[in-house]
Amino acid sequence: LALLEAHWNKPKTAFELACGIGHYLRELTRRGARCLGADVVFAKCWLAKHWVAPEAEYVVFDAGATWPLEDRYDLVQCHDAFYFLPRQEFVADRLREAVAPGGVLAVSHVHNGGYVKGAKGPARPAGGWA
């Protein structure tokens, strides 16, 4: 959350892909953002809605397939998940499309293929992630 706060633009709306059980969404809804979380695992969205971030809304879908989003968001994020998603170029395009004009796209935890000790999951050189 510190990285988001460094670039904070007081988003009114936020979307998180691979939201898990909603810990980022909990903090965003506490700050007044209207949030939508998405994950491929129904149980995670259920836990988020019922226990962690009940003020947010949730949708279950496969990020590598058709996206059910119609809105654009001030903040679009995907943390600790992008590196293992299928069809990364497709997913990156959908994430970019979900960002409202003037909004922020935050993707964290990608694996650098140039790291000497090796990286877990699909890795690319730093320039390849750009």
Side-chain angles (χ1 to χ4, degrees):
L1 208 49
L3 179 60
L4 288 176
E5 288 174 345
H7 301 282
W8 193 251
N9 64 355
K10 296 194 179 187
K12 291 182 174 48
T13 60
F15 169 70
E16 183 177 11
L17 179 65
C19 67
I21 63 167
H23 60 283
Y24 286 114
L25 297 173
R26 175 184 56 218
E27 295 307 315
L28 289 164
T29 57
R30 285 180 179 169
R31 289 170 167 83
R34 182 179 54 82
C35 296
L36 176 65
D39 206 290
V40 71
V41 180
F42 171 82
K44 289 182 179 184
C45 289
W46 188 92
L47 287 170
K49 183 66 179 173
H50 289 87
W51 298 100
V52 180
E55 297 83 12
E57 296 299 322
Y58 298 88
V59 61
V60 176
F61 71 96
D62 178 352
T66 302
W67 283 41
L69 303 183
E70 295 179 9
D71 295 333
R72 295 176 79 185
Y73 300 86
D74 299 325
L75 171 63
V76 174
Q77 58 185 358
C78 179
H79 299 293
D80 195 25
F82 188 83
Y83 63 94
F84 67 77
L85 292 173
R87 301 182 64 200
Q88 290 173 339
E89 289 81 6
F90 172 83
V91 172
D93 287 344
R94 299 297 80 74
L95 288 169
R96 284 187 207 98
E97 289 171 2
V99 180
V104 173
L105 173 59
V107 177
S108 66
H109 196 159
V110 293
H111 293 178
N112 185 346
Y115 182 64
V116 177
K117 299 201 184 256
K120 308 295 183 213
R124 299 176 187 204
W129 286 112

